[in-house]
Amino acid sequence: MEKLKKLAVAFGIVGMLVSGVVAANPVDAAWSNVEQSHYEKGILIGWADGNSFEVKTSSGEYMVFRSSNEWYKKNLISGQSYTYYYYTNQHGQNIITKIQK
């Protein structure tokens, strides 16, 4: 019976490989999200509206980030340096995932 189970698993794996179907690996999926996220160090210039703010990065470029997190608006100080973790959505907007001092 054990040999039959191993044979069935082997045929299933060969079938997936031949058909081009592969099982998703959760570790690979987690790493793909890391590759898509970015970070910039820079100085907070100020808020443009309730969800958007401007940053001058350490390379001298200006970037606009978006966040609906009210805590950031209430507690981040213009002129202070922070590290901004973000991803760029399908509309080209830089969406904040985390900010560190």
Side-chain angles (χ1 to χ4, degrees):
M1 189 56 123
E2 192 63 35
K3 282 187 177 182
L4 186 58
K5 285 182 185 178
K6 288 181 181 179
L7 186 61
V9 169
F11 276 120
I13 291 171
V14 169
M16 287 189 318
L17 292 173
V18 170
S19 68
V21 176
V22 292
N25 184 345
V27 173
D28 291 339
W31 278 109
S32 69
N33 289 337
V34 170
E35 291 170 3
Q36 294 175 5
S37 63
H38 311 282
Y39 72 91
E40 290 287 340
K41 294 181 181 182
I43 298 171
L44 176 64
I45 301 300
W47 289 84
D49 58 33
N51 294 319
S52 302
F53 58 94
E54 188 176 27
V55 170
K56 183 177 182 181
T57 67
S58 56
S59 66
E61 294 181 51
Y62 288 88
M63 295 183 72
V64 174
F65 294 103
R66 294 186 55 82
S67 175
S68 59
N69 187 330
E70 287 292 320
W71 189 90
Y72 291 149
K73 186 160 174 71
K74 292 176 184 174
N75 293 286
L76 297 180
I77 302 168
S78 295
Q80 291 288 323
S81 182
Y82 301 98
T83 301
Y84 305 89
Y85 295 86
Y86 68 98
Y87 67 93
T88 304
N89 69 12
Q90 68 271 19
H91 304 293
Q93 299 168 323
N94 299 317
I95 308 298
I96 291 293
T97 56
K98 178 173 73 169
I99 299 175
Q100 284 184 308
K101 183 145 172 94

